[in-house]
Amino acid sequence: MTPTHRTADQDRTLPSLPPLPALPPLRLDLLPAVTESLAARAAEHDRDASFPAEAFPLLHGAGLLTATVAARHGGPGAGLADTARILRALGAGDPAAALVTAMTLFTHAAEARTPGGWPPALYADLLDHSAKGPALVNALRVEPELGSPVRGGLPATTARRDGDRWLLTGRKIYSTGAVGLSRLLVFARTDEDPVRVGSFVVRAGSPGLAIEPTWDHVGLRASRSDDVVLDSVPVPLGDVLGLAEAGSTPGARPDPETGAWNALGLSALYLGVAGAARDWLTRFLHERVPTSLGAPLATLPRFQSAVGEIETALFGADTLVDTLAARVDAGDRTAAGQAGAVKVLATRAAIGAVEQAVALTGNHGLTRANSLQRHYRDVLCSRVHTPQDDSVLLTAGRDALARALETGADHETSTDRADPESDAGHAAPAPVPGPSVPSTPDPRSHDRRSAPKGT
């Protein structure tokens, strides 16, 4: 076939594509050094409840903030397994910095999985900012009355159409890293009929945007998860993600894979916290030499067995998270649906490990000068993230009970087909004598408590 040649005039009519931004290369080999650097100031930031701003240029330089940017956008395209590795390492250093990093990584990963979620020009602008320096992003979804929107309900934060822009008014609470964010993805409703919901992209420093320093938490104090107040904050008309009519659960996660990234990524982060607590414990046991013993506590079988329990629990949880993350990366949707259950197991293992370390060390573990008490306060925060234990366990229990009914029905059907008259004329067998078993109380007789609000 003869090739077709284009003239210079024809070439000039072709649209020119902007060059891909020069994002920093991903350096997973730097994770140990980054973890050590974060840990060096973690106690200071925890004590002062100060945002670890100096951490993010370091993370940016190692390519950790843009690890999940898709290859088509010039990024490394890291999957969930690599993200879990990153967050586990950062969690061991400073979980507050790790949590803000996680929210940014999850944002880029969502765009990598579902192209077009962001308007092209809007995402290109974010990537351009990300190439030049840290560009932190987080979704602000929780409100004082609503709680977490994954449990249902419309947000009170409202977007009103004003010509070629939206004006956002409302309040968001528990806005992790608010003081350091470049983009705030504000979950809000429109004032239209029918109502639409979506995430409105608010830039830092926008008129009418204020951050109230309300965060006074026991754990993750440096995350600065303050209140964000919006007073007619202008947002360009097209700077909205996922704007659509509100369904029965407007704030539900859009797909199982998004939920899996959140559940497994944050599980890895808090397992990093537990790993740091284990490392402190083992150093303490080697250094502590009671006069009456004349040898380190690490030489006693009781402490050796206790450390073995901690190590085994964390090994199992780490392996479970990593294995499921790899399956999610491979496109296994069944694995994605199991991520909530893994979060329950992993976070319970992390909390249990740190609790056991505190119990082993007594007053030493609860002394402010020692980092174990900080690790304990931080690891307790693993419970508040979506999906929360009560939701996961309720769903798992209902699914198991439904499967039992289906299995029982299938068994009865197959038995009837095999011998439809096998039970005809036969009385029920007499009960086997044995100890009496108390009857199970009717759960309906117990008081029902409403589910806690999400955070």
Side-chain angles (χ1 to χ4, degrees), residues 439-450:
S439 60
T440 302
D442 186 348
R444 292 172 294 183
S445 65
H446 293 177
D447 291 337
R448 288 189 177 92
R449 292 189 234 175
S450 60

Side-chain angles (χ1 to χ4, degrees), residues 38 51-62 65 96-101 104 133-136 177 180:
L38 296 184
F51 188 68
E54 79 287 343
F56 298 102
L58 177 67
L59 297 174
H60 171 264
L65 293 177
L99 186 58
V100 179
T101 300
T104 301
L136 306 177

Side-chain angles (χ1 to χ4, degrees), residues 102-434:
M103 300 302 108
T104 301
L105 291 176
F106 294 166
T107 298
H108 288 301
E111 172 60 23
R113 293 193 309 275
T114 55
W118 282 65
L122 188 62
Y123 192 64
D125 183 63
L126 173 60
L127 292 180
D128 184 61
H129 188 167
S130 301
K132 297 172 183 175
L136 306 177
V137 188
N138 194 6
L140 309 189
R141 296 164 57 85
V142 186
E143 295 183 348
E145 298 301 326
L146 177 67
S148 174
V150 297
R151 295 181 182 266
L154 286 169
T157 302
T158 303
R160 177 173 60 84
R161 178 78 175 266
D162 179 44
D164 60 352
R165 62 181 184 173
W166 299 99
L167 296 178
L168 251 62
T169 298
R171 176 184 288 267
K172 296 295 182 180
I173 62 175
Y174 304 141
S175 305
T176 298
V179 295
L181 297 180
S182 165
R183 309 290 192 281
L184 298 78
L185 311 184
V186 179
F187 183 62
R189 60 185 292 174
T190 66
D191 63 350
E192 306 163 318
D193 186 13
V195 171
R196 294 187 291 171
V197 295
S199 295
F200 295 76
V201 182
V202 175
R203 298 169 188 270
S206 295
L209 178 65
I211 298 171
E212 292 187 0
T214 54
W215 183 245
D216 187 17
H217 214 267
V218 171
L220 288 178
R221 290 169 52 76
S223 70
R224 295 311 318 168
S225 300
D226 294 310
D227 286 13
V228 171
V229 181
L230 306 105
D231 183 8
S232 297
V233 174
V235 176
L237 206 59
D239 288 7
V240 190
L241 313 180
L243 188 60
E245 288 189 24
S248 57
T249 310
R253 298 285 178 186
D255 61 86
E257 197 168 358
T258 296
W261 272 74
N262 191 76
L264 299 179
L266 296 183
S267 294
L269 188 159
Y270 288 103
L271 285 169
V273 176
R278 173 207 56 210
D279 293 346
W280 182 91
L281 172 65
T282 54
R283 288 193 301 270
F284 173 82
L285 294 178
H286 279 296
E287 295 169 359
R288 177 69 174 165
V289 183
T291 303
S292 59
L293 180 63
L297 291 176
T299 62
L300 295 178
R302 178 171 76 89
F303 288 100
Q304 293 169 353
S305 295
V307 171
E309 288 185 9
I310 292 172
E311 186 72 9
T312 300
L314 295 183
F315 168 76
D318 281 329
T319 302
L320 192 57
V321 168
D322 291 343
T323 300
L324 210 67
R327 287 174 56 191
V328 172
D329 285 340
D332 185 341
R333 292 188 65 82
T334 300
Q338 296 167 337
V342 171
K343 177 180 178 288
V344 171
L345 296 172
T347 55
R348 287 183 176 182
I351 292 171
V354 185
E355 284 180 338
Q356 190 168 4
V358 171
L360 286 170
T361 55
N363 282 327
H364 299 283
L366 294 175
T367 300
R368 281 195 177 274
N370 295 326
S371 62
L372 184 57
Q373 51 80 28
R374 170 167 51 87
H375 298 320
Y376 185 41
R377 289 184 286 107
D378 287 340
V379 79
L380 291 176
C381 295
S382 62
R383 292 187 174 125
V384 307
H385 298 290
T386 301
Q388 293 167 334
D389 288 12
D390 66 311
S391 295
V392 174
L393 298 177
L394 178 63
T395 300
R398 285 175 172 172
D399 289 348
L401 292 169
R403 286 196 304 273
L405 285 178
E406 293 171 359
T407 302
D410 291 343
H411 176 72
E412 291 177 4
T413 300
S414 61
T415 302
D416 291 344
R417 288 175 179 170
D419 188 0
E421 298 181 356
S422 59
D423 290 335
H426 292 275
V432 178

Side-chain angles (χ1 to χ4, degrees), residues 58-82:
L58 177 67
L59 297 174
H60 171 264
L64 300 174
L65 293 177
T66 49
T68 55
V69 174
R72 68 179 180 276
H73 293 305
L80 180 52
D82 280 337

